[in-house]
Amino acid sequence: MNSHDSEICTHAFEDGLEHHGAIAPPLYQTSLFRFADLESFSHAQLREREHFVYSRGLNPTVKLLEDKLAALERGEACKAFASGMGAIAATLFSLLRQGDHVVRVNQTYGPTVELLDQMTHYGIAHDGTSGRLENVIQTLRPDTRVIYIESPSSMRMEVTDLAAIAGLARERGIITVIDNTWATPLFQKPLTHGIDLSIHSLSKYLGGHSDVVGGAVIGERSLIDRLFACGHQLLGAALSPHSASLVLRGLRTLPLRMRQHQANGLAVADYLANHPLVEELHHPSQLRGAEADLVQRQLHGQSGLLSFRLSCPTYARTARFIDALRLFKIGVSWGGYESLAISPLRPDGSGQALIRLAIGLEDIEAILADLKRGFTAIGP
Ligand SMILES: *Cc1c(COP(=O)(O)O)cnc(C)c1O
């Protein structure tokens, strides 16, 4: 964890004595901003990207968060959104035109695939592939405009070589986008590997307390300006100032929390790796060979989201395991203080036979004891 990042999460962009010296940044709960005369209004309205005119565009509380997120990702600019999906939708709408093709690398977040499926009605096609470079190259078409990556992905934690994909995309004039939610900007900085745009759901680790929904996109200023004009302003998924202030508060403890998520996640991964009832374990700490080298190169740390496959993973056994847990709550999302468990497996046996655990900030002994309870419930 780097001290520059800690500085960004705490003091950066708020060192002045404005706002009467308030140590907590004020919440600008306002929809519009007034002007002294028509000329200053006219000037601001022409450049809504830089001026406070209306909070669907720019708001000081939201802007402080955007400045911090851009700095954390080592990007030039950031735009915040009302949700991760708001950020993803605006990004895709601003980059794609009828006749364009998208290559998805690794397992893509389900609603993102659903959105791309919707976009096929507007003449935009997409195909998915694994993170292996030769597969990515094979999936490219002459009309491919965007390569959309998740690394690590959020169900099987697959990784891919970001610099290699960024390189081959650049040669072909393709824009690369990554959903960087798993790693947070503390543990992975995709722009430094040549990726064009990095997206986050702020609802996960960045918010960190399971009390806010938000999203953000970070990249070069020209791309973010285009995203602002074509996606953010028109689709209208603006982050509320109140939500921004909650995420700003989350950022204060992000380095501290990520250290604990990492330690707890690694301890759980170690425990599951050696468990006789676990058939497969998905966490970057478990990768070997070339993929382990990639993890070393790209990730500065590992978060606490992992998944595993039980031996004989029927729905009944999966349900018995999850229902026996007391500390782990059953619920979607992740990145809050609390440990969570879910499975995409459905009662009819369809869906991935995985149990996904979001390892929270609780005491590790209590977390491991709870998992033992789960295994005891399904027997030897
Ligand atoms: C949650 C999530 C999203 C969507 O974010 P929302 O804030 O829920 O809209 C996108 N990608 C990943 C990997 C996520 O986990």
Side-chain angles (χ1 to χ4, degrees):
M1 212 95 46
N2 123 3
S3 68
H4 182 45
D5 284 348
S6 298
E7 163 70 15
I8 295 166
C9 289
T10 52
H11 304 294
F13 306 101
E14 45 185 319
D15 273 347
L17 284 173
E18 64 272 29
H19 313 304
H20 312 283
I23 200 77
L27 168 46
Y28 282 87
Q29 189 68 42
T30 183
S31 62
L32 68 98
F33 300 83
R34 49 171 282 195
F35 293 84
D37 50 48
L38 188 61
E39 194 187 343
S40 43
F41 164 74
S42 308
H43 174 79
Q45 220 199 2
L46 279 174
R47 294 178 199 79
E48 257 200 89
R49 174 82 182 91
E50 289 129 46
H51 293 274
F52 301 120
V53 176
Y54 186 50
S55 286
R56 173 155 55 76
L58 206 58
N59 170 284
T61 311
V62 178
K63 183 176 184 299
L64 176 59
L65 175 64
E66 291 172 344
D67 288 343
K68 284 178 180 271
L69 292 175
L72 282 174
E73 285 271 345
R74 309 292 185 262
E76 282 179 359
C78 165
K79 200 59 218 150
F81 290 83
S83 67
M85 278 313 296
I88 291 166
T91 302
L92 295 175
F93 271 91
S94 75
L95 296 178
L96 296 164
R97 301 283 175 273
Q98 186 179 16
D100 287 345
H101 176 245
V102 178
V103 170
R104 293 183 292 102
V105 179
N106 289 337
Q107 188 177 339
T108 311
Y109 180 66
T112 306
V113 180
E114 285 177 48
L115 176 66
L116 283 164
D117 284 342
Q118 287 298 319
M119 291 176 86
T120 61
H121 302 306
Y122 302 90
I124 294 160
H126 68 98
D127 287 299
T129 180
S130 82
R132 292 174 64 91
L133 215 53
E134 57 268 34
N135 293 345
V136 175
I137 292 170
Q138 272 168 17
T139 314
L140 293 176
R141 303 191 333 200
D143 53 359
T144 301
R145 275 295 291 151
V146 167
I147 299 180
Y148 187 94
I149 304 164
E150 288 193 26
S151 177
S153 60
S154 63
M155 189 53 78
R156 306 176 79 90
M157 325 307 144
E158 306 139 302
V159 297
T160 191
D161 189 333
L162 300 183
I165 293 184
L168 71 88
R170 196 141 293 180
E171 280 167 15
R172 294 164 171 82
I174 297 170
I175 293 182
T176 46
V177 180
I178 187 171
D179 182 331
N180 196 27
T181 305
W182 187 93
T184 81
L186 294 188
F187 287 166
Q188 183 166 261
K189 301 191 190 302
L191 305 182
T192 67
H193 300 284
I195 298 295
D196 293 309
L197 290 171
S198 184
I199 299 184
H200 287 281
S201 167
L202 304 176
S203 327
K204 313 296 163 58
Y205 290 122
L206 290 167
H209 297 74
S210 302
D211 55 5
V212 64
V213 172
V217 187
I218 301 107
E220 245 175 46
R221 192 169 307 283
S222 61
L223 278 174
I224 299 296
D225 285 351
R226 184 159 134 205
L227 182 71
F228 181 79
C230 305
H232 185 270
Q233 284 295 73
L234 302 181
L235 293 174
L239 185 68
S240 76
H242 182 243
S243 294
S245 78
L246 287 173
V247 181
L248 281 166
R249 172 147 82 167
L251 282 189
R252 302 293 192 212
T253 55
L254 182 67
L256 207 61
R257 287 186 290 106
M258 291 317 294
R259 222 170 284 150
Q260 185 72 12
H261 283 298
Q262 167 166 262
N264 283 355
L266 290 173
V268 169
D270 270 353
Y271 168 71
L272 294 175
N274 297 311
H275 201 285
L277 294 179
V278 173
E279 254 180 20
E280 282 173 23
L281 173 58
H282 302 287
H283 189 250
S285 63
Q286 302 303 304
L287 296 170
R288 300 288 174 262
E291 285 186 311
D293 295 341
L294 197 60
V295 167
Q296 274 290 326
R297 238 182 12 253
Q298 282 177 191
L299 287 171
H300 310 298
Q302 313 220 1
S303 76
L305 188 72
L306 51 87
S307 70
F308 67 99
R309 188 182 156 94
L310 279 179
S311 63
C312 311
T314 60
Y315 184 80
R317 257 165 85 80
T318 302
R320 237 184 301 143
F321 179 92
I322 291 181
D323 291 344
L325 303 175
R326 290 289 165 267
L327 179 87
F328 281 80
K329 308 299 179 227
I330 302 170
V332 296
S333 195
W334 41 279
Y337 60 92
E338 75 286 16
S339 290
L340 294 168
I342 49 161
S343 173
L345 196 59
R346 298 192 195 95
D348 67 3
S350 65
Q352 298 172 88
L354 291 172
I355 292 174
R356 192 182 70 176
L357 301 178
I359 309 302
L361 301 175
E362 301 95 337
D363 182 77
I364 187 60
E365 296 308 324
I367 291 172
L368 293 175
D370 205 36
L371 293 174
K372 274 185 202 124
R373 202 172 284 134
F375 285 117
T376 304
I378 57 173

